[in-house]
Amino acid sequence: MTSRRYRLAAASAVALFASTTAAHADAPLAEARWSCAIDASAKEACPTEDDLKKQISSRLGYDPFKDSASHSLDVHISRTLSGFEANITSQEGQTRPLVRHVETRGDSCDELAQSIVISVSLAVDPMTLTRPPPQTSPTPIKTSPEVHPVPPPVETTKPSPAKEPPPLLKSTPWHLDVEGGARVGFGIVPSVSLGPFAMIRARRSLLGLFAELGADLPLSDDADPRGGAGAVSAALLRAGAGACVLPRSFFACARFDGGALQGSGSGVATLGQATTGYASAALLAGVDVAVAGEFHLGARAEALAPITRTTLRLDDYPVWTTPALAGAFAVTAGYRF
């Protein structure tokens, strides 16, 4: 009795699938409007918008993307700390939009791209799984009673040349960023400082390694706290190197600086200059936004902990000592290669 019930259920399922296939075999092909936004942080590893459209059209068997369609599909791809993510928004006319979130881990965007292709294909045309594949009838070989068909010549197979990987299998090579900017410092020298800097950075995926050169020049002198006419000033020349984590448009870095701090005194009986070594460790955080092609603008904040402590004196009286903690704010402009 039980096996008979199972056979009836299976027959009903087959009949339902056959009727659904027949009902939609001649249905008009579905269409949708398409838009795709890929963050700058994900463009290196992920396929382009045109590559995704080709993959979707190939899976459906036709090009479904029409600007006049009432169904809209919006895809947004970005990089995360552990991999990549995509939000796929589907809306039919004025109905409430549906959002599907897809997320993968690792440096390869291939798995995410495949998930986008499948999700968008089903969102455009859910019946694509029930459409029968096109059938082609083989061309018969004509023969006569007197002449037997001649077998085709045997062709020797030649090794095919190596093919380039498809667009969905992209590597993540190293790239270079060149930046320049200005930094305002607080506590680096006796007064508020302002100076230029230049940086070059090699980046791959979420990791960046960089080197930087800069100067911090005083905007004013620091007066003698005893009320005298003397004053001190100092300028810093520095070089640094460090590493960054670069998720999306944000970044966080650690840097070590070394250089020379040159102090000078004025308005005292004994004038002179003194140069001492300088070393500090710094933590940086900021944003970096593309503005036109590969050009980008950014801003960052820095916290510096001097390793060497320098004291400036007027007539052997201590006027200023390097503080235990200093800070800076910088703006940057650069180009990505």
Side-chain angles (χ1 to χ4, degrees), residues 186-307:
F186 306 91
I188 299 174
V189 296
S191 65
V192 176
S193 61
L194 175 65
F197 68 90
M199 182 189 76
I200 184 169
R201 177 173 61 206
R203 57 186 172 83
R204 180 182 184 183
S205 187
L206 296 179
L207 175 65
L209 303 175
F210 70 97
E212 185 173 305
L213 293 174
D216 294 276
L217 308 176
L219 294 180
S220 63
D221 294 341
D222 198 21
D224 188 342
R226 299 171 298 177
V232 295
S233 65
L236 172 66
L237 298 177
R238 62 183 179 86
C244 291
V245 178
L246 308 162
R248 301 189 183 180
S249 298
F250 301 94
F251 63 86
C253 310
R255 188 188 69 225
F256 176 81
D257 288 333
L261 183 68
Q262 185 179 55
S264 62
S266 62
V268 292
T270 304
L271 299 178
Q273 293 183 342
T275 301
T276 61
Y278 174 86
S280 71
L283 295 178
L284 299 74
V287 295
D288 202 11
V289 181
V291 291
E294 299 302 325
F295 288 96
H296 56 97
L297 298 176
R300 74 189 193 194
E302 304 182 25
L304 302 97
I307 299 172

